[in-house]
Amino acid sequence: MSGPRDAVADRGAVLATLVAVVFALTFLALPRLGGGWFWETGNALGFLALAGLLFQMIPYPRSGAARRHERLGYWVLATAIAHAFWFLAGDPTLRVYLQPGAPAHMWLGLFGLLALALLCVLARMPDRMRVHRRYRVFRTLHRGLGLAALAGAGLHVLLSGFYLPSWPQAALLVLICLACSLGRRVWARLQAPPRASAGIYLATGAVAGALFVLIRNLVP
Amino acid sequence: MLAALFFCGLVLVVTGPPGADDRAGRREPRFGGTIPVLPMTFSHGDHFGQTCASCHHEFTDGTAGPPCMTCHVTDRSVAPLLEDQFHGLCRSCHVTEHAASRPSGPTRNCTACHLPDHDF
């Protein structure tokens, strides 16, 4: 049963904050530099997926919120896939960046997406119980794949140099990644697991994404 | 479903989106070289006001010769750097112009420069 303190986390305050922080980070340098609505919309999907992944990485026992964590994971994966397909389907040039000779940041993005997909497949209930007989093995693998996905996604963003070209932005993103991946003791101070529904994820993502596109392409 | 999605992605990478100009994402040897490059568009008229030497280093370093792209796709010392050099040269200038609120060229959108019907 949720208490008054749980209610704060249940409303998705942590997720909303992470979404806001990730999008705000892109505005610390060249805030009005836009590449057109198509480009920014596709990348807004990518940043939303990154924020969702960061939220999912928060080390906190999810005993009572595992199902919600699982469901949100599918939405994060769907957003990451949408980010990739948005460009593949809409820009015929971009496929060159996933062919032999492509730059490292694209391979890292693909690696992160595959790691995230594998993570979701291997954690799917109730199949998970058959694949992983021992919970400790599952937890180690799940955490390892999560870290791999986050590392791939983070390096994809940083090495592309489009939205986080300055070193303070890169340092802040690394700090956020570390804070969300580690820091178990700090997160343990929360009175309740940082929960969020898919609705909160999509609503905050829609608002942040819209601002991201509009500020970069309409603000003179 | 995930496997089917990733297969569709692979098809898109290999063939490009349906209905798109087939030449848009096709790298072919151009400008007399053997390395495959994407089609590009460039207009000197759009760059009126920039000093020639901003791009034409041969005007100042005495390496005059064939048109610029010929060297950049045939000279083994610079051909591997083609993408980095031209993305860096074009995009950094466009970003600087955009930041100064002056008319600028594309800063990110790939197809804005790599147009298949305007080889230069």
Side-chain angles (χ1 to χ4, degrees):
Chain A
M1 212 174 144
S2 296
R5 279 172 157 171
D6 296 72
V8 174
D10 282 350
R11 283 200 291 268
V14 176
L15 175 64
T17 305
L18 266 176
V19 171
V21 166
V22 167
F23 276 89
L25 196 57
T26 69
F27 286 102
L28 293 183
L30 303 170
R32 290 183 298 114
L33 182 61
W37 72 269
F38 171 81
W39 184 270
E40 252 78 50
T41 304
N43 283 319
L45 288 168
F47 281 115
L48 178 61
L50 176 62
L53 182 58
L54 283 166
F55 175 77
Q56 294 287 80
M57 289 296 295
I58 292 174
Y60 198 103
R62 290 186 170 83
S63 51
R67 184 73 188 123
R68 190 171 278 193
H69 174 69
E70 183 187 349
R71 275 200 299 262
L72 186 59
Y74 297 141
W75 280 103
V76 173
L77 176 63
T79 317
I81 290 174
H83 163 68
F85 273 82
W86 180 270
F87 287 113
L88 275 179
D91 187 335
T93 308
L94 210 115
R95 66 191 171 103
V96 172
Y97 264 11
L98 284 173
Q99 293 173 353
H105 70 265
M106 293 302 291
W107 293 123
L108 285 162
L110 181 62
F111 167 77
L113 181 61
L114 290 173
L116 183 60
L118 186 63
L119 179 156
C120 289
V121 168
L122 292 178
R124 183 175 166 78
M125 287 292 271
D127 304 337
R128 188 192 98 192
M129 308 298 276
R130 287 193 289 272
V131 177
H132 310 283
R133 298 287 169 87
R134 295 167 60 196
Y135 177 72
R136 184 176 289 274
V137 175
F138 161 73
R139 197 178 62 181
T140 304
L141 182 67
H142 196 64
R143 194 98 193 118
L145 282 171
L147 288 170
L150 184 58
L155 287 170
H156 172 66
V157 173
L158 289 179
L159 296 181
S160 67
F162 287 123
Y163 292 97
L164 277 68
S166 68
W167 72 262
Q169 288 176 299
L172 282 170
L173 181 66
V174 171
L175 277 177
I176 294 167
C177 289
L178 289 175
C180 290
S181 311
L182 309 171
R184 182 178 288 271
R185 287 180 190 169
V186 178
W187 288 109
R189 290 177 191 165
L190 285 178
Q191 296 299 311
R195 299 174 189 175
S197 65
I200 293 286
Y201 173 68
L202 295 174
T204 54
V207 172
L211 288 172
F212 180 76
V213 175
L214 291 173
I215 290 172
R216 288 183 176 276
N217 292 287
L218 289 184
V219 175
Chain B
M1 192 176 86
L2 264 180
L5 263 176
F6 279 107
F7 179 74
C8 289
L10 184 64
V11 170
L12 278 175
V13 169
V14 174
T15 66
D21 190 326
D22 186 42
R23 296 167 298 162
R26 185 187 289 175
R27 286 181 293 184
E28 292 174 335
R30 298 171 202 272
F31 313 111
T34 55
I35 61 167
V37 292
L38 283 169
M40 283 173 271
T41 186
F42 175 85
S43 165
H44 273 100
D46 291 342
H47 293 81
F48 184 79
Q50 303 297 324
T51 56
C52 302
S54 300
C55 303
H56 288 281
H57 61 87
E58 74 271 23
F59 289 1
T60 55
D61 62 15
T63 56
C68 59
M69 283 303 290
T70 306
C71 275
H72 280 276
V73 297
T74 56
D75 187 326
R76 288 185 179 182
S77 64
V78 294
L81 306 172
L82 178 76
E83 184 180 331
D84 277 349
Q85 286 184 329
F86 276 81
H87 275 176
L89 177 71
C90 303
R91 204 157 51 197
S92 65
C93 193
H94 292 175
V95 168
T96 304
E97 293 296 299
H98 188 283
S101 299
R102 290 192 288 264
S104 67
T107 55
R108 283 169 181 158
N109 195 350
C110 308
T111 47
C113 294
H114 292 288
L115 295 172
D117 55 346
H118 290 98
D119 283 359
F120 72 94

